[in-house]
Amino acid sequence: MIVVPAERIADLKKKGWWGDVRIGDLFEKHVREKTDREAVVDPINCADIVGREPRRLSWWQLEDLVGRYTAVLTSHGLRKDDALVVQLPNLVDLPAIYLACARLGIIVSPAPVQYREHELVYICNSIDAKAAITANRIGKHAHGEMLVRVKHTAPALQHVFVLGDAVDGATQIEPLLAQVKQSELAAAQRAEQEAPVTADDIFTICWTSGTEAQPKGVPRSHNEWIIMGEGVVHAGDIEDGDHLLNPFPMVNMAGISTSFVSWLLVGGKLVQHQPFDLQVFLKQIRDEKIDYTVAPPAILSLLLQNEALLEGVDFGRLQNIGSGSAPLSEWMVDTFHKKHGVQIANFFGSNEGASFPSTYRDVPDPAQRAAYFPRFGEGYKWDSKLHDRIFTRLVDPETEQEVTEPGKPGELRVKGATIFSGYWRAPQINARAFDADGWFRTGDLFELAGDRLQFYRFVGRLKDIIIRGGMNISSEEIEGHLVGHPAIADVAVVGSPDQALGERLCAFVVFKPGQGAEMSEINRYLTQEKKVAVFKQIERLESIDVLPRNPVGKVLKRELRDRLAQQR
């Protein structure tokens, strides 16, 4: 299925920014050339996550697993342009499933493992998902049973496959993979030949939350992913055969571009990690001889504050680390380079493709790199692979006039080869998401900075979202649930600054007269009655007599954030 307009495809291919290489082509090249070399490695705590021992696969063994997944999916009726929801942690199965779908043209829709029935029912119905794959248990949660319940309210969902023990209403997938017949492999090959996949077909539909109450689907093609991966490879100085450690869930831009696509571009070893565990993370860096990884700013600062944690790390290999999702510390960026020779790349990004890096080549000063991003598309020359393929401008959201002077915030608008073409089946949202000249409205506020105004500095968000550990959470969604709580009369949800995660959810609650509720009870209401994802729980509760509002009744969340800042 191709959703990108034909004229846009033709223009980008004419410029050489897009091509005809598909995700599967990258994989097959490495299978031929690096047959017996290690390709993917499970987390070492795999048994705790899904109840099985960790696996290590060569490129050829991964090819065998990919082929088996194509046979199982085909034998259960999935064909090109069908949608498959995948809710799995970072296992070796995840890239195998993605590659099987890329080969067949099945649209992958990855869901964070924290999502619960509320989000999953919406996703399955939005894309008419034909099947879903999960694990019987992920950690302590019964995901298999949950997806079976989802199946009852998602009419198109025909199959629920589970790794691990079978549950009623679901199909255990390991026996199917082990017992694949030659005739089933041949049927999968015929399906691939009869409906060939192009580089312009949708590969994934990922999910992002903005000001809308429901998540929005972001379709991205093979070309749209490959160009993002190329940007990451260049920014991180990732070379052929490098070992990559992936601690970000492979469900959105952060995990897919910085690990899956980058790994396919260089043909190295992908070491999976999830959920984040610092000791496991450091052991993998040491034991797997990691060349590149990513980590939140707070974790990187913590490592420098406890140097003993870094003993045994081979900084002759690990010379580049990516970071982002929260402000970086100048001290951290500078100290990693001076003490260990490590360059920290500061990434700004979104599922929609409004993404660019601040690297040591473009922003050598650590203080600037911690806070500034290159101003792409304004006549400045940058080293970044994406510098001439992304175009940016700042616009006053009130007047729609371009911001050209320092110190004045403006909304970042973006065009270019990395930007998606619109949200899935959302014409009204798309009408708001792009301005009259076709620029994508990011909802992020920046200021011009630098002696030549060559940089952008992030100053806040125009959209009412909270970014917790890189995950976007809609305030409107949580508020919509909380106003249904029997003790709550009014509520506003904002982000409370947090060093580790960037932000945590804070609810300012006006309780009904004579009533009240503890935060734990409110969270039980959210997760058990409303069945929302665990990471959307309230982590700070502020009781307030009345919410501050402007003359037309809009809640003044700026005042609530100021109150949190003063308390801090």
Side-chain angles (χ1 to χ4, degrees):
M1 183 184 300
I2 299 175
V3 296
V4 181
E7 60 273 15
R8 171 172 162 81
I9 293 173
D11 177 60
L12 292 174
K13 289 188 174 182
K14 182 179 180 180
K15 292 175 178 175
W17 298 345
W18 285 9
D20 296 315
V21 175
R22 304 164 299 177
I23 295 290
D25 297 326
L26 300 175
F27 173 60
E28 289 162 13
K29 176 178 182 292
H30 300 309
V31 172
R32 293 193 303 269
E33 298 177 357
K34 303 173 182 178
T35 305
D36 297 320
R37 289 175 59 176
E38 275 193 335
V40 288
V41 179
D42 263 333
I44 56 178
N45 54 342
C46 192
D48 295 330
I49 303 170
V50 294
R52 78 161 193 220
E53 292 305 307
R55 303 170 66 189
R56 310 175 72 92
L57 302 181
S58 68
W59 286 98
W60 174 248
Q61 289 170 325
L62 180 59
E63 159 64 26
D64 179 69
L65 184 59
V66 170
R68 291 175 182 275
Y69 268 111
T70 63
V72 170
L73 294 174
T74 302
S75 66
H76 285 78
L78 276 79
R79 296 293 187 271
K80 186 175 185 293
D81 298 335
D82 286 336
L84 172 73
V85 169
V86 181
Q87 190 180 39
L88 286 173
N90 287 345
L91 307 174
V92 298
D93 294 83
L94 207 49
I97 293 167
Y98 287 5
L99 289 164
C101 291
R103 186 174 289 178
L104 294 168
I106 296 169
I107 300 170
V108 177
S109 189
V113 296
Q114 300 94 334
Y115 274 12
R116 297 297 183 254
E117 290 164 69
H118 171 74
E119 295 90 359
L120 292 170
V121 168
Y122 178 80
I123 287 173
C124 288
N125 286 327
S126 294
I127 61 175
D128 298 320
K130 195 169 184 177
I133 298 179
T134 188
N136 178 36
R137 284 192 172 271
I138 302 176
K140 297 180 180 179
H141 189 71
H143 282 258
E145 294 177 3
M146 178 178 67
L147 261 296
V148 171
R149 292 195 298 271
V150 169
K151 183 180 174 184
H152 296 320
T153 53
L157 191 60
Q158 299 176 16
H159 306 287
V160 173
F161 300 103
V162 296
L163 295 171
D165 295 335
V167 296
D168 289 342
T171 303
Q172 187 177 10
I173 201 166
E174 286 96 341
L176 299 179
L177 295 171
Q179 299 164 14
V180 164
K181 300 175 182 177
Q182 192 61 41
S183 59
E184 293 173 326
L185 290 170
Q189 291 176 348
R190 285 196 301 273
E192 180 184 354
Q193 294 165 359
E194 291 168 0
V197 178
T198 75
D200 304 310
D201 277 296
I202 297 175
F203 172 47
T204 60
I205 297 178
C206 298
W207 298 89
T208 187
S209 295
T211 55
E212 290 77 21
Q214 297 289 1
K216 303 186 294 292
V218 180
R220 293 189 70 83
S221 70
H222 296 241
N223 267 320
E224 289 169 318
W225 276 118
I226 288 172
I227 193 172
M228 291 305 308
E230 290 173 342
V232 172
V233 167
H234 186 262
D237 286 342
I238 306 173
E239 299 179 348
D240 182 71
D242 275 356
H243 299 178
L244 312 182
L245 174 57
N246 172 39
F248 285 176
M250 278 175 48
V251 298
N252 55 23
M253 183 64 72
I256 297 177
S257 66
T258 61
S259 60
F260 177 71
V261 181
S262 300
W263 160 70
L264 288 174
L265 287 167
V266 301
K269 178 169 71 173
L270 176 61
V271 181
Q272 296 280 50
H273 179 105
Q274 192 185 354
F276 189 82
D277 181 299
L278 183 58
Q279 294 303 324
V280 172
F281 183 70
L282 291 168
K283 180 174 175 56
Q284 288 176 304
I285 288 177
R286 291 189 291 263
D287 294 352
E288 301 292 348
K289 298 179 172 56
I290 297 301
D291 298 288
Y292 180 80
T293 190
V294 289
I299 295 297
L300 297 179
S301 294
L302 174 66
L303 293 175
L304 292 178
Q305 293 162 0
N306 299 270
E307 282 285 337
L309 293 172
L310 294 173
E311 290 182 8
V313 174
D314 184 359
F315 288 111
R317 296 192 66 138
L318 182 60
Q319 296 185 348
N320 292 274
I321 298 175
S323 192
S325 80
L328 272 62
S329 157
E330 171 192 350
W331 169 82
M332 181 270 288
V333 175
D334 189 43
T335 305
F336 251 112
H337 182 237
K338 288 181 177 177
K339 291 196 69 172
H340 301 292
V342 174
Q343 295 288 2
I344 304 295
N346 186 6
F347 284 93
F348 170 83
S350 71
N351 277 321
E352 293 87 349
S355 307
F356 39 87
S358 183
T359 69
Y360 72 93
R361 290 185 295 266
D362 283 331
V363 192
D365 179 75
Q368 292 185 332
R369 198 185 328 148
Y372 294 167
F373 296 92
R375 187 179 175 187
F376 286 170
E378 293 292 338
Y380 301 103
K381 186 171 177 60
W382 303 102
D383 178 79
S384 172
K385 179 84 171 179
L386 302 176
H387 82 277
D388 62 346
R389 304 176 187 194
I390 300 177
F391 306 92
T392 61
R393 61 198 296 245
L394 296 188
V395 174
D396 185 316
E398 298 294 330
T399 66
E400 287 295 307
Q401 297 298 307
E402 185 166 0
V403 174
T404 57
E405 67 222 50
K408 182 178 180 181
E411 183 188 21
L412 180 69
R413 307 268 175 100
V414 186
K415 275 185 178 181
T418 65
I419 300 298
F420 78 139
S421 294
Y423 296 107
W424 178 256
R425 295 178 179 173
Q428 292 182 332
I429 295 176
N430 287 329
R432 301 192 300 268
F434 295 87
D435 67 20
D437 296 319
W439 293 81
F440 173 61
R441 304 174 186 264
T442 65
D444 296 294
L445 296 175
F446 285 79
E447 291 178 349
L448 298 178
D451 56 355
R452 296 179 290 119
L453 303 184
Q454 72 273 34
F455 298 129
Y456 290 129
R457 184 177 76 86
F458 179 74
V459 296
R461 284 186 298 280
L462 181 64
K463 295 179 179 179
D464 191 12
I465 59 173
I466 297 164
I467 301 181
R468 182 191 185 278
M471 300 294 288
N472 286 4
I473 302 171
S474 166
S475 293
E476 181 180 324
E477 176 193 355
I478 306 305
E479 290 162 354
H481 291 311
L482 290 181
V483 293
H485 189 284
I488 294 176
D490 203 0
V491 62
V493 176
V494 299
S496 176
D498 181 80
Q499 184 180 11
L501 296 174
E503 291 179 306
R504 293 182 185 269
L505 272 72
C506 174
F508 283 86
V509 172
V510 179
F511 287 108
K512 294 177 180 178
Q515 299 194 43
E518 297 292 331
M519 186 167 68
S520 59
E521 193 279 324
I522 290 175
N523 282 330
R524 280 195 296 273
Y525 174 80
L526 284 173
T527 57
Q528 295 181 17
E529 292 196 34
K530 295 301 181 181
K531 301 185 184 303
V532 302
V534 175
F535 68 86
K536 297 179 182 180
Q537 293 183 91
I538 301 302
E539 296 172 282
R540 180 169 178 169
L541 179 64
E542 295 284 332
S543 178
I544 192 170
D545 293 334
V546 62
L547 294 176
R549 296 180 183 272
N550 66 10
V552 296
K554 184 177 180 180
V555 176
L556 297 174
K557 292 191 173 181
R558 180 184 65 255
E559 294 188 10
L560 300 178
R561 295 187 185 99
D562 288 345
R563 176 187 292 201
L564 293 176
Q566 292 168 6
Q567 292 176 358
R568 190 182 182 199

